[in-house]
Amino acid sequence: MPSRVPSFPFFLAFLVVTAATLFPSSSSQQPPAAAAVPQPRGFYISCGSDRDVQVGSIKWAKDEGFTAVGNASAINKPHLLPVLATLRYFPDATARKYCYQLPVVKGTRYLVRTTYYYGGFDGGKEPPVFDQIVDGTLWSAVNTTDNYRRGMSTYFEMVAQGQGRTMSVCLARHPDTKSSPFISSLEVIDLADYMYNTTDFGRFAMSTVARSRFGSKGEIVSYPDDPYNRYWAPFADANPMVESHSSISPDDFWNQPPAKALKAGVTTSRGKKLTVQWPTTELPAATYYVALYFQDSRTASPFSWRVFDVAVNGKDFFRGLNASAAGVMVYSSMMQLSGKTEILLTPNETSPVGPLINAGEIYQIVPLGGRTATRDVVAMEDLAASLKNLPPDWAGDPCLPQQHSWTGVECSQGSPMRVLSLDLKNHGLSGSLPDSIANLTGVKTIYLSGNNLSGPIPDLSSMHTLTAVRLDSNQFSGTIKPSMEKLVDLKELYLNYNNLTGKIPDGLKNKAGLDLRTEGNKFE
């Protein structure tokens, strides 16, 4: 069973409109119309809302069309921001997961942010604990209890790549889940191709641990200062703080941090080492992506320089760094860390001023939870679109995570995973079987007896591993395809009690070892 990534929840004090620093509510907090920054590309979903809502400069869409399961609930508390005033919860304990699905571009990187505010929607005193999943990867546990007790909402972030034509963000119960999982808002934001591009997103995702602007107090910096709506939290310690006097261009930095996140920093006097304990939380032993941003706070001059070595937990990170007025970023894409993290900046002997640091990002590297064969994913999505009254967990990856596969779906081990069996007998299904079901070439058994399925039976001759097909007690019509004779391993074919016509192919009637049932039809 895949393990959960240790969660790094973030709290936000933006419950009431007057305290909203991330969602500006007054015109004084907006940029002038002529300089307005376009809304970051992507999806901003207000879960459980029955209408689109505007918060500051961002328009949040209602979640209709992104999920087909769960119930909406309003939070009965005064002065809540619109995106926290509703949520969607999922009371069906039989479902293995509950998914939102969003169209994406394969190979594009996205910032995924989930936000939770419990609000006692179910009459309880504590929020439930549950899991969250992105595509087939078990991301983390969602435990918002401590933040809720403090009157805060909680958010989680991940940077992930589109693996196909859709991305699924799902919630799932685990043994400690005592009531209905819920979600307040969901964001999936397009990132530029050059951002975080040293990570192999075909194998990994990155879960946000911290993103900080040093030497700062007060508000979190986000959109419109950050065109990708990343949250840059203030960080200050006992070190002296300094403000920049130089013009800062985000385009000069890899990952394009906003200029406002670099306008301050922490420093020390000439000749002294600068020690920063960051992030403030202890880290579990794992692999991390670390990016550190530096910018000389002095007015640019050809005669000024600020040179120092950078070490993290006693190991060289970068030697001879020259933090110019234009700025510089250094990073490690696969760094082993655990426990407390210490950044040590040691000045060059000739440097006329002490070292400084302006901002930092750290992400835990998350191995992807495997991969389901693309042809199987597409075929299963086509099947789901062709059937009605499906189990509520028929969304997201059909096979992954393994303990949260679709109801009635059995899959292989290894990568890529293949669908091996479909078993939805007596589920009250209606609709028809699409021709693309034949692309499930790893399937051995299909059990769809006792439903209300109609239309023709597709050509299944490409499904060479089929051993049993039970379609009895439905409303299928048309003829039996003669190509069914090609299924050499077929041992069971139950077609009884349908509306089939024509002739039964001789190759099926005379096939040795085949249990063929055809009564209750209109065969010649």
Side-chain angles (χ1 to χ4, degrees):
M1 178 180 297
S3 59
R4 299 176 189 86
V5 175
S7 60
F8 294 95
F10 303 88
F11 69 87
L12 290 177
F14 57 84
L15 299 185
V16 295
V17 173
T18 55
T21 57
L22 297 182
F23 301 96
S25 59
S26 66
S27 59
S28 64
Q29 293 172 293
Q30 304 302 316
V37 178
Q39 176 165 319
R41 290 190 306 170
F43 297 93
Y44 298 81
I45 300 172
S46 181
C47 302
S49 179
D50 60 359
R51 57 187 175 86
D52 296 347
V53 296
Q54 189 81 24
V55 181
S57 299
I58 294 181
K59 184 177 182 180
W60 294 75
K62 59 185 178 181
D63 62 1
E64 181 181 356
F66 296 105
T67 185
V69 296
N71 300 330
S73 177
I75 303 300
N76 187 24
K77 290 184 180 292
H79 309 303
L80 284 177
L81 287 171
V83 291
L84 300 179
T86 62
L87 57 77
R88 183 166 293 276
Y89 68 98
F90 305 94
D92 188 346
T94 65
R96 297 179 181 177
K97 57 188 172 187
Y98 321 94
C99 295
Y100 283 80
Q101 286 190 274
L102 303 96
V104 296
V105 177
K106 184 177 181 179
T108 296
R109 283 182 290 282
Y110 297 89
L111 176 67
V112 180
R113 183 183 295 125
T114 54
T115 301
Y116 303 90
Y117 180 64
Y118 172 56
F121 75 91
D122 56 1
K125 295 182 178 180
E126 287 193 353
V129 179
F130 48 91
D131 290 332
Q132 54 185 354
I133 299 163
V134 173
D135 284 335
T137 297
L138 186 58
W139 176 4
S140 71
V142 176
N143 187 344
T144 65
T145 302
D146 289 343
N147 287 344
Y148 179 66
R149 287 173 180 167
R150 299 162 61 192
M152 306 293 184
S153 60
T154 304
Y155 73 89
F156 299 79
E157 283 185 359
M158 172 178 275
V159 177
Q161 181 172 277
Q163 304 295 329
R165 61 188 184 184
T166 62
M167 176 180 287
S168 61
V169 180
C170 310
L171 309 181
R173 296 169 184 260
H174 61 67
D176 296 328
T177 303
K178 297 179 180 178
S179 57
S180 301
F182 69 95
I183 184 169
S184 301
S185 68
L186 169 63
E187 299 162 73
V188 177
I189 304 167
D190 296 36
L191 298 176
D193 290 342
Y194 58 82
M195 297 172 68
Y196 312 107
N197 61 1
T198 59
T199 297
D200 182 356
F201 285 97
R203 299 172 56 205
F204 304 103
M206 303 197 315
S207 183
T208 307
V209 176
R211 185 185 300 111
S212 302
R213 55 191 191 101
F214 296 155
S216 304
K217 296 181 179 179
E219 67 179 13
I220 291 175
V221 169
S222 62
Y223 173 83
D225 296 294
D226 189 322
Y228 303 99
N229 201 29
R230 291 168 295 182
Y231 294 169
W232 298 81
F235 173 86
D237 57 11
N239 290 302
M241 295 185 290
V242 62
E243 292 284 336
S244 177
H245 300 284
S246 303
S247 175
I248 300 171
S249 173
D251 292 337
D252 292 336
F253 290 83
W254 213 346
N255 297 341
Q256 201 172 343
K260 194 170 183 178
L262 303 174
K263 289 295 288 183
V266 294
T267 187
T268 189
S269 56
R270 177 181 178 180
K272 290 186 177 181
K273 297 179 180 181
L274 175 63
T275 301
V276 180
Q277 300 282 348
W278 176 86
T280 56
T281 185
E282 292 193 13
L283 304 180
T287 305
Y288 295 86
Y289 174 99
V290 181
L292 304 177
Y293 302 89
F294 307 87
Q295 191 267 340
D296 193 344
S297 58
R298 298 171 297 169
T299 302
S301 165
F303 304 104
S304 65
W305 66 93
R306 193 188 293 260
V307 180
F308 48 87
D309 297 334
V310 183
V312 176
N313 287 355
K315 296 181 179 180
D316 286 345
F317 195 82
F318 197 94
R319 296 185 65 84
L321 178 72
N322 184 7
S324 66
V328 64
M329 183 272 267
V330 294
Y331 73 95
S332 174
S333 58
M334 299 289 283
M335 188 170 194
Q336 301 300 312
L337 295 174
S338 65
K340 294 182 178 179
T341 306
E342 179 182 275
I343 301 170
L344 177 64
L345 309 182
T346 303
N348 183 286
E349 293 181 357
T350 63
S351 184
V353 289
L356 90 168
I357 183 170
N358 302 77
E361 295 182 89
I362 183 167
Y363 300 83
Q364 184 172 344
I365 300 298
V366 181
L368 299 185
R371 185 173 68 88
T372 301
T374 300
R375 65 183 299 162
D376 285 19
V377 172
V378 173
M380 292 297 290
E381 289 175 345
D382 288 349
L383 179 60
S386 300
L387 301 179
K388 298 179 181 179
N389 200 33
L390 282 164
D393 52 23
W394 269 52
D397 192 292
C399 295
L400 293 167
Q402 293 184 39
Q403 68 272 37
H404 300 301
S405 63
W406 293 2
T407 294
V409 176
E410 179 185 346
C411 299
S412 66
Q413 301 294 316
S415 184
M417 301 186 79
R418 301 297 310 275
V419 177
L420 299 181
S421 177
L422 301 176
D423 186 354
L424 288 178
K425 56 183 178 290
N426 301 316
H427 261 73
L429 303 178
S430 60
S432 59
L433 298 182
D435 291 337
S436 57
I437 193 175
N439 292 331
L440 297 170
T441 54
V443 167
K444 298 180 179 180
T445 58
I446 299 175
Y447 299 143
L448 296 175
S449 306
N451 289 293
N452 194 34
L453 301 175
S454 57
I457 297 174
D459 182 355
L460 306 179
S461 60
S462 62
M463 304 174 73
H464 301 297
T465 60
L466 273 177
T467 61
V469 178
R470 298 182 182 180
L471 303 178
D472 52 293
S473 300
N474 279 284
Q475 301 296 321
F476 288 110
S477 58
T479 62
I480 302 176
K481 304 290 192 296
S483 58
M484 292 280 282
E485 300 172 350
K486 299 178 182 178
L487 297 173
V488 296
D489 294 328
L490 193 63
K491 297 294 188 286
E492 295 180 357
L493 181 57
Y494 294 0
L495 303 176
N496 43 316
Y497 303 109
N498 280 285
N499 296 317
L500 299 171
T501 57
K503 294 183 178 181
I504 301 172
D506 291 338
L508 291 176
K509 288 194 295 184
N510 301 323
K511 180 176 172 58
L514 175 63
D515 182 2
L516 176 63
R517 303 184 185 184
T518 59
E519 65 271 19
N521 285 285
K522 303 174 182 178
F523 292 120
E524 297 178 6

